[in-house]
Amino acid sequence: MQSFRTEIENPIVEKDIIDLANKIELFKNGKVDEEKFRSLRLARGIYGQRQEGVQMIRIKLPYGKVLSKQLKRIADVSDEYSRGRLHITTRQDIQIHYVDIDRTPELWADLEKDNVTLREACGNTVRNVTASETAGIDVKEPFDVSPYADAVFEFFLRNPICQEMGRKFKVSFSASDEDTGLSYMHDLGFIAKIENGIRGFKVMLGGGLGSQPRHADVLYEFLPTDKIIPVMEGVLRIFDRHGERKSRAKARMKFLINDIGLEDFKVLVDEEQAAIENNTVPINVEDYPISVPVTVKAPKIELKNEDAFNNWKSTNLIPQKQEGYVAIGIKVLLGDFYSDKARLLADLVENYAAGELRLTLRQNIVIPFVKEDLVPFFYQELDKLGFAEVGYNKAVDITACPGTDTCNLGIASSTGIAEELERVLKTEYPHYLKNKDLVIKISGCMNACGQHNMANIGFQGMSVRTPDKLVAPALQVLLGGGNLGNGNGVYADKVVKVPSRRGPEALRRILNDFEANANGKQFLDYYLEQGEKYFYNLLTDLSNVTNLTQEDFIDWGTNEAYIKAIGIGECAGVVIDLIATLFLESDEKIDNAKEALGHKVYSNAIYFAYSSMVNSAKALLLSENISTNTQAGIISQFDAEFIESHKIDLGTSFSEVIYQIKTNAPTQAFATRYIENATVFLEKVRAFRTQEQSIVS
């Protein structure tokens, strides 16, 4: 093993980082299965990049809150391990690219010195908990959702119930009925409410984007705040047990809700509460750190261009409920900025605001707690940094994922077309600089990281083939999506597919028609009134691929001929015994269970033991060439193949043994007994596997 050492004070975090370093070495030596290693590194924020031999690192920043010292730390890490570029995502994370995987443990250790983590930023885990970027300052909020988002993040980080799910799980918190956290497109969405003087949330379940977007259902119209963690734990346990694991395309929560049905799923969640340690988890808001703005006298300045300042103020200031303060919105083109500017920005907010920033769902930055008399000074300083562009959260503020720049899954450029569309808006439609009702989003593929299918106008990267089989980059044009508030939204229609080079012309036609005929209506209302066919007829001639020019075969942002390719970027592992790897993992899970038992964390101990038994059963099924799917399916398949046939004797069914987890409260006595069950089960299946191998040999 590597002799890697950290200077981390938290022993749990230190162990995590050292484990990553050891697993990297084991993988390189062919002792860890490639799929298992991929799962492990993704759960630690390490994602294969389109370019071979380098990784994208995703930094998990709950609800987008970043302290000044944390931003400086991230800037330092980007300089040391990458190229100094920071990318804000649509889930309020920061990504850095072109990192050598061998250096990731050291990178992670450096981040943790200022309490910044990579843990569960990617992979089949609970992803970053997002929230309205105005949480805590929003003039319309009934209360600040930040402490609740923070509590959810802390509770489920490293929680064994959500480390190896069939697919990722996304959670959001909205500050008010405006639902700026976009609850309707999340696996779980929480909208702040007060009923009879009690704080709580409207809870949305089973939303999602991707190729088959689904509008979330209302799980609870009102759920008191002390119930959100137990309910979420119940949802995750059911998702872990019954969620699809064979087909990634069907493994999200939205498909499980469709299969089970909302009411039956709710019954399962309610039944699961008997096995959860605490049926209420009060969240102590008083312990949440309060933002304290500095007291400083406004420096005397002389603005060079009063008109430019006033124009910026009209689009980039955000009202704040705290008297005497405003927030400033910084428009960050495509979410990309650099470490030198990041440090200067961190110094600015530390010295003249409250020492914190919020990253936004539209890839921007918000500075809260700016004294009103400091606004001219902030404008001057932000202008020096190139952060004073007008149009924050307005139509010209286009969201786009990295697309073919770095992402494995990108089909066509999203950043290149986004820059061109912003240029078109600024030069040909300058009045849209102040239009907040039109939302444009772009994704490089169907996975919708750019959230294109919930935009008023969306573009999705694709390709088109000419009659003589030439391939050109293309864009699917989507229209009519939007957020209606209070958990309601509408997804955009796929209207027409056009070669990418015709994307700007498609936008011009849409806007020209809208301005000529909408008669004051908002775009979403106008689209719904006219309908998909109307816009199809407006744009369909642009889809003709029989008359493409040479330029049509060159994607935006590049000078090279287009080649449709899904990037590799993932290390090729050595072929090894997957069954042996699974048994070793079962050993590790039992060790983790015993460690948790020793620390009196009985719920974790029980779930580690449960995971070990599922893992062991899966190993034996795979050894018999029996494909596995859900955890519930593994359990029933094991009974059918090994227990009912009397190949293995447990004295009862495997279901009876393992499903004790559903009916027993997490006590010390049950945890101890359940770990013993898992240990005996592993011994029996391992002995059976050894016997079978000896017969074959």
Side-chain angles (χ1 to χ4, degrees):
M1 296 295 176
Q2 293 185 16
S3 58
F4 178 79
R5 292 290 180 268
T6 77
E7 299 175 6
I8 304 301
E9 295 180 2
N10 186 327
I12 296 173
V13 174
E14 183 176 47
K15 179 183 176 184
D16 220 2
I17 295 171
I18 292 172
D19 181 57
L20 172 62
N22 291 336
K23 287 295 198 305
I24 290 172
E25 184 177 3
L26 288 170
F27 171 68
K28 289 194 164 186
N29 291 333
K31 295 179 181 178
V32 173
D33 174 72
E34 181 178 1
E35 284 301 314
K36 286 296 173 183
F37 179 66
R38 180 182 288 114
S39 175
L40 179 134
R41 64 172 168 74
L42 286 171
R44 283 134 185 91
I46 306 167
Y47 194 96
Q49 205 170 295
R50 191 178 189 91
Q51 293 76 12
E52 189 172 354
V54 290
Q55 313 292 318
M56 177 271 283
I57 304 300
R58 183 175 294 150
I59 299 169
K60 193 172 187 179
L61 298 165
Y63 48 100
K65 182 178 179 178
V66 190
L67 302 180
S68 295
K69 64 178 183 178
Q70 292 175 321
L71 184 57
K72 291 177 186 176
R73 174 68 64 183
I74 293 168
D76 289 346
V77 161
S78 183
D79 283 346
E80 173 65 25
Y81 300 95
S82 181
R83 303 178 176 183
R85 185 177 74 111
L86 309 175
H87 175 73
I88 304 169
T89 76
T90 55
R91 294 202 60 75
Q92 299 173 301
D93 299 303
I94 283 180
Q95 292 176 175
I96 58 178
H97 296 81
Y98 299 97
V99 176
D100 183 341
I101 194 168
D102 288 337
R103 302 194 70 194
T104 53
E106 184 184 354
L107 178 155
W108 186 4
D110 280 350
L111 285 173
E112 288 283 359
K113 291 172 184 176
D114 281 306
N115 198 29
V116 178
T117 191
L118 307 181
R119 181 74 195 222
E120 294 149 58
C122 307
N124 299 332
T125 62
V126 175
R127 295 290 186 85
N128 196 26
V129 177
T130 61
S132 302
E133 60 262 24
T134 53
I137 63 170
D138 199 315
V139 295
K140 297 181 179 179
E141 68 182 16
F143 57 88
D144 183 6
V145 301
S146 304
Y148 304 96
D150 192 66
V152 165
F153 159 72
E154 291 286 353
F155 187 89
F156 292 102
L157 187 72
R158 295 185 176 86
N159 194 313
I161 70 169
C162 51
Q163 296 305 300
E164 297 174 320
M165 298 183 293
R167 212 57 176 83
K168 58 192 173 185
F169 192 94
K170 296 182 177 180
V171 184
S172 76
F173 283 80
S174 286
S176 72
D177 284 359
E178 289 195 352
D179 196 15
T180 51
L182 308 175
S183 67
Y184 66 93
M185 49 168 266
H186 280 79
D187 295 296
L188 265 181
F190 297 94
I191 306 172
K193 302 281 185 180
I194 291 181
E195 285 193 4
N196 301 319
I198 298 172
R199 290 184 176 187
F201 294 93
K202 181 177 183 178
V203 184
M204 307 296 295
L205 173 74
L209 295 178
S211 60
Q212 300 179 59
R214 183 183 190 274
H215 194 292
D217 297 311
V218 178
L219 184 62
Y220 297 100
E221 284 288 351
F222 182 82
L223 186 72
T225 58
D226 62 356
K227 288 285 189 180
I228 62 173
I229 285 177
V231 164
M232 181 168 163
E233 182 171 350
V235 169
L236 287 170
R237 288 163 73 108
I238 299 304
F239 179 51
D240 194 33
R241 189 176 306 142
H242 295 280
E244 171 76 30
R245 289 175 182 269
K246 188 175 180 181
S247 169
R248 280 177 58 82
K250 300 275 184 162
R252 291 297 299 275
M253 172 64 77
K254 59 186 178 182
F255 297 108
L256 183 59
I257 299 298
N258 284 340
D259 290 344
I260 294 178
L262 178 64
E263 292 307 315
D264 288 342
F265 186 90
K266 192 172 181 179
V267 169
L268 291 175
V269 172
D270 290 342
E271 290 175 348
E272 201 68 24
Q273 299 302 304
I276 292 175
E277 186 169 6
N278 297 304
N279 296 130
T280 60
V281 179
I283 295 167
N284 191 347
V285 176
E286 303 302 320
D287 288 344
Y288 184 78
I290 298 173
S291 299
V292 180
V294 298
T295 302
V296 61
K297 187 176 180 180
K300 290 185 179 180
I301 65 162
E302 190 172 325
L303 292 171
K304 296 178 182 177
N305 188 330
E306 196 77 30
D307 289 340
F309 169 64
N310 289 329
N311 195 29
W312 172 83
K313 275 204 309 182
S314 69
T315 65
N316 291 54
L317 291 192
I318 303 165
Q320 186 166 321
K321 69 181 184 182
Q322 289 83 3
E323 188 176 352
Y325 294 93
V326 295
I328 292 175
I330 298 175
K331 182 179 178 295
V332 184
L333 179 63
L334 302 176
D336 291 334
F337 66 118
Y338 288 84
S339 56
D340 56 343
K341 303 292 178 62
R343 289 188 192 88
L344 294 171
L345 182 62
D347 286 338
L348 180 63
V349 299
E350 186 173 3
N351 295 328
Y352 294 98
E356 72 172 71
L357 301 161
R358 286 287 179 94
L359 309 180
T360 84
L361 297 172
R362 288 178 71 166
Q363 301 175 292
N364 292 320
I365 298 172
V366 168
I367 305 173
F369 292 99
V370 176
K371 289 178 62 179
E372 290 177 343
D373 62 355
L374 278 171
V375 169
F377 170 73
F378 263 87
Y379 171 74
Q380 175 185 268
E381 297 305 303
L382 292 173
D383 193 34
K384 292 176 185 175
L385 299 178
F387 280 152
E389 186 171 347
V390 298
Y392 170 81
N393 273 10
K394 304 301 185 291
V396 72
D397 194 355
I398 296 175
T399 301
C401 70
T404 51
D405 291 357
T406 55
C407 180
N408 269 322
L409 302 175
I411 297 174
S413 173
S414 45
T415 57
I417 184 63
E419 289 191 58
E420 177 61 17
L421 295 185
E422 284 207 9
R423 187 197 66 77
V424 169
L425 284 167
K426 291 173 186 174
T427 57
E428 301 176 30
Y429 303 87
H431 48 291
Y432 279 92
L433 284 172
K434 296 185 179 182
N435 183 308
K436 66 179 181 179
D437 298 321
L438 188 69
V439 178
I440 302 173
K441 294 177 179 281
I442 305 170
S443 298
C445 74
M446 66 180 180
N447 285 289
C449 293
Q451 302 174 342
H452 63 276
N453 39 18
M454 53 78 61
N456 300 154
I457 301 175
F459 296 91
Q460 175 194 323
M462 304 188 81
S463 64
V464 290
R465 188 180 295 271
T466 67
D468 49 357
K469 295 184 169 42
L470 297 175
V471 180
L475 296 167
Q476 176 76 58
V477 181
L478 299 94
L479 298 174
N483 178 12
L484 305 178
N486 197 27
N488 298 304
V490 58
Y491 291 123
D493 295 323
K494 295 177 181 178
V495 176
V496 68
K497 181 165 70 171
V498 304
S500 290
R501 286 286 171 176
R502 297 175 186 172
E505 177 58 23
L507 180 64
R508 291 186 184 98
R509 290 193 189 184
I510 293 164
L511 295 181
N512 290 343
D513 178 84
F514 173 56
E515 293 185 353
N517 302 310
N519 297 319
K521 298 183 182 72
Q522 292 189 3
F523 182 85
L524 179 55
D525 294 330
Y526 177 65
Y527 174 79
L528 294 175
E529 179 183 277
Q530 296 293 79
E532 177 186 345
K533 188 170 181 58
Y534 174 87
F535 283 93
Y536 172 81
N537 291 332
L538 181 70
L539 302 172
T540 187
D541 64 297
L542 296 178
S543 66
N544 184 5
V545 295
T546 63
N547 57 354
L548 298 187
T549 67
Q550 188 172 0
E551 187 182 39
D552 288 317
F553 294 95
I554 300 173
D555 207 352
W556 293 103
T558 181
N559 296 317
E560 299 177 1
Y562 175 75
I563 299 174
K564 182 183 178 181
I566 304 298
I568 303 301
E570 300 277 332
C571 299
V574 180
V575 177
I576 61 173
D577 185 353
L578 175 58
I579 311 305
T581 301
L582 290 171
F583 281 146
L584 286 173
E585 282 193 350
S586 294
D587 280 324
E588 284 185 4
K589 292 177 189 298
I590 288 175
D591 288 341
N592 290 337
K594 291 176 179 176
E595 184 179 353
L597 180 66
H599 290 299
K600 299 183 179 181
V601 186
Y602 304 129
S603 57
N604 284 9
I606 292 163
Y607 215 86
F608 278 128
Y610 165 80
S611 298
S612 173
M613 284 191 275
V614 171
N615 210 60
S616 301
K618 177 180 178 180
L620 212 54
L621 287 166
L622 290 177
S623 74
E624 300 290 309
N625 295 317
I626 300 171
S627 62
T628 64
N629 192 357
T630 66
Q631 288 184 349
I634 289 169
I635 294 164
S636 61
Q637 284 174 293
F638 191 89
D639 271 335
E641 180 65 24
F642 296 105
I643 305 301
E644 293 170 12
S645 64
H646 305 292
K647 293 178 182 178
I648 294 177
D649 182 14
L650 299 179
T652 183
S653 68
F654 181 44
S655 300
E656 286 288 332
V657 174
I658 197 168
Y659 279 146
Q660 293 176 83
I661 193 175
K662 296 199 297 181
T663 54
N664 286 269
T667 62
Q668 181 180 8
F670 174 60
T672 303
R673 186 172 75 250
Y674 200 62
I675 293 170
E676 289 173 357
N677 293 158
T679 304
V680 170
F681 181 70
L682 177 56
E683 290 171 354
K684 285 182 178 290
V685 295
R686 189 174 255 152
F688 180 85
R689 166 71 169 165
T690 302
Q691 181 182 357
E692 290 290 292
Q693 286 180 313
S694 65
I695 293 172
V696 171
S697 61

